[in-house]
Amino acid sequence: MAGNKGVAYIGPGKVEVQDIPYPKLELQDGPGVNPANIGRKTEHGVILKVVTSNICGSDQHMVRGRTTAPENLVLGHEITGEVIECGRDVEFIKVGDVCSVPFNIACGRCRNCKEGKTGICLNVNPARPGAAYGYVDMGGWVGGQAEYVMVPYADWNLLKFPDRDQAMEKIRDLTMLSDIFPTGFHGCVTAGVKPGSTVYIAGAGPVGIAAAVGAQLLGAAVVIVADLVESRLAQARSFGCETVDISKGDPKDQIEQILGVPEVDCGVDAVGFEARGHGEGSGKEAPATVLNSLMEITAAGGAVGIPGLYVTGDPGGIDEAAKVGALSLSLGTGWAKSLSFTTGQCPVMKYNRGLMMAILHDKVQIAKAVNATVIPLDQAPQGYADFDSGAAKKYVLDPHGMVA
């Protein structure tokens, strides 16, 4: 039997590449695996040889020790791979297919899946709706920052690329379909972005940059991206975005300088619960800052998309309320302005095929926008450290040296 290596969370600030079990078509016991999932048969699944698996900001929350993730949890929910083994019940996916794996695991059979709400599948996580690979409280499905990984419900979950050679030529772009491109796009769709919209995106990390690309695809007139890190703001400007440096004061003042009015049609939170204050308080954690700011600067009757991650367990929260995800929101502002809010996991399958077609037909260059940077699996710990320092890059792990 082949060996396997994967990137595991060891403790706050530390990951390492370990020897891990080769995947089986059955869920095994291990770090974070829900006891009710142990022994679960997955003959509807496949084994993938991982072509690429990306480091995500959501992974970084765990690695910083800001969740209840257990030690030795194998990370990685952004996966693209080649099928090398099919379970007995897989009918349409074949050995040799190169596919994108939506980060949210879905059965395709429950009420939510049938309604397109694949981020909150009812059958894959005994603890609560929704599951993901290599993520805390998400059922214990082993992550894909590894050489090999098992994907369940393969006929339903996998997005097969039409042509292998074309896919490998565009793999840096296509690898973004597993999470950040659909997630950023979802943030814009739920914020109501349409042709002519003015859009404010809080956060110039990979999801924020992906949201900006998504806003442009949707026809936005002006896309404004905000962050504290100048290199990330420069990345946003590199493909036509306006930018706001929140260390220099209230975003609405800078928005007014750009648009002539201190508000936008649509707001997107691509930061999440580790948000920091604006202006003089920009170095201090203030988890409700982005949401409250978005309510203030989004025009009455507008909408706020919230792809940024919020959790119910944060050991590093700034106070007892923040440790359980209870934030001091100015909900009265949102109510008074009749704002709409959409939170939660992006239902990747709602968008990934359309975005794939945009990539394959050269309508978008998402890899260039997020500054995709390919590194071997054994450099993952350094990739995590560099990403944590604010590097304006999206790190793509290449376990088998398959990326040209």
Side-chain angles (χ1 to χ4, degrees), residues 23-30 33-44 105 123-126 133 138-142 150 152-153:
K24 297 180 179 180
L25 295 174
E26 178 182 324
L27 276 178
Q28 309 293 302
D29 195 6
V33 178
N34 189 295
N37 263 351
I38 296 171
R40 184 171 180 166
K41 305 292 186 182
T42 56
E43 289 291 344
H44 41 65
I105 301 167
N123 288 331
V124 286
N125 182 359
Y133 305 88
M138 288 292 178
W141 301 85
V142 177
M150 189 273 290
Y153 304 103

Side-chain angles (χ1 to χ4, degrees), residues 225-400:
V225 181
D227 206 282
L228 286 162
V229 181
E230 172 52 33
S231 61
R232 289 185 166 188
L233 293 174
Q235 191 66 28
R237 290 192 293 270
S238 74
F239 59 96
C241 298
E242 301 285 347
T243 57
V244 162
D245 184 342
I246 63 169
S247 70
K248 295 181 178 178
D250 195 315
K252 70 176 184 293
D253 297 329
Q254 297 176 66
I255 290 170
E256 186 168 19
Q257 291 175 12
I258 296 167
L259 298 176
V261 292
E263 63 181 17
V264 294
D265 301 321
C266 314
V268 178
D269 174 5
V271 178
F273 72 103
E274 288 191 70
R276 307 213 169 250
H278 299 154
E280 293 182 0
S282 59
K284 299 178 181 178
E285 188 164 318
T289 296
V290 168
L291 291 171
N292 285 331
S293 174
L294 284 167
M295 283 190 274
E296 183 179 4
I297 64 181
T298 302
V304 178
I306 311 174
L309 176 68
Y310 289 86
V311 296
T312 55
D314 173 13
I318 60 171
D319 54 35
E320 293 306 310
K323 289 179 180 179
V324 293
L327 309 182
S328 297
L329 296 179
S330 180
L331 195 57
T333 300
W335 191 93
K337 296 175 73 174
S338 295
L339 299 178
S340 301
F341 306 89
T342 302
T343 66
Q345 291 186 43
C346 163
V348 170
M349 294 174 70
K350 184 175 181 179
Y351 307 105
N352 62 353
R353 186 184 180 279
L355 295 176
M356 175 189 75
M357 295 299 287
I359 290 169
L360 294 178
H361 292 278
D362 299 317
K363 299 301 181 185
V364 65
Q365 292 182 307
I366 183 65
K368 183 178 180 181
V370 300
N371 195 14
T373 303
V374 180
I375 60 176
L377 189 69
D378 62 9
Q379 291 182 19
Q382 187 61 51
Y384 269 97
D386 292 346
F387 187 39
D388 195 45
S389 71
K393 298 179 179 181
K394 175 67 172 178
Y395 286 100
V396 176
L397 301 179
D398 178 12
H400 297 279

Side-chain angles (χ1 to χ4, degrees), residues 38-60:
I38 296 171
R40 184 171 180 166
K41 305 292 186 182
T42 56
E43 289 291 344
H44 41 65
V46 299
I47 307 300
L48 292 184
K49 178 181 181 180
V50 176
V51 175
T52 54
S53 184
N54 315 327
I55 296 175
C56 181
S58 298
D59 298 320
Q60 201 67 272

Side-chain angles (χ1 to χ4, degrees), residues 125-191:
N125 182 359
R128 65 187 190 193
Y133 305 88
Y135 211 84
V136 60
D137 296 333
M138 288 292 178
W141 301 85
V142 177
Q145 287 175 15
E147 293 175 324
Y148 303 94
V149 69
M150 189 273 290
V151 171
Y153 304 103
D155 283 327
W156 170 251
N157 281 305
L158 291 178
L159 174 67
K160 176 186 171 182
F161 300 138
D163 181 88
R164 178 192 175 89
D165 291 339
Q166 183 189 32
M168 293 307 298
E169 287 177 4
K170 294 180 176 291
I171 197 66
R172 287 176 173 83
D173 294 284
L174 295 171
T175 190
M176 306 305 166
L177 292 173
S178 57
D179 182 357
I180 67 162
F181 198 11
T183 292
F185 193 81
H186 177 64
C188 291
V189 169
T190 55

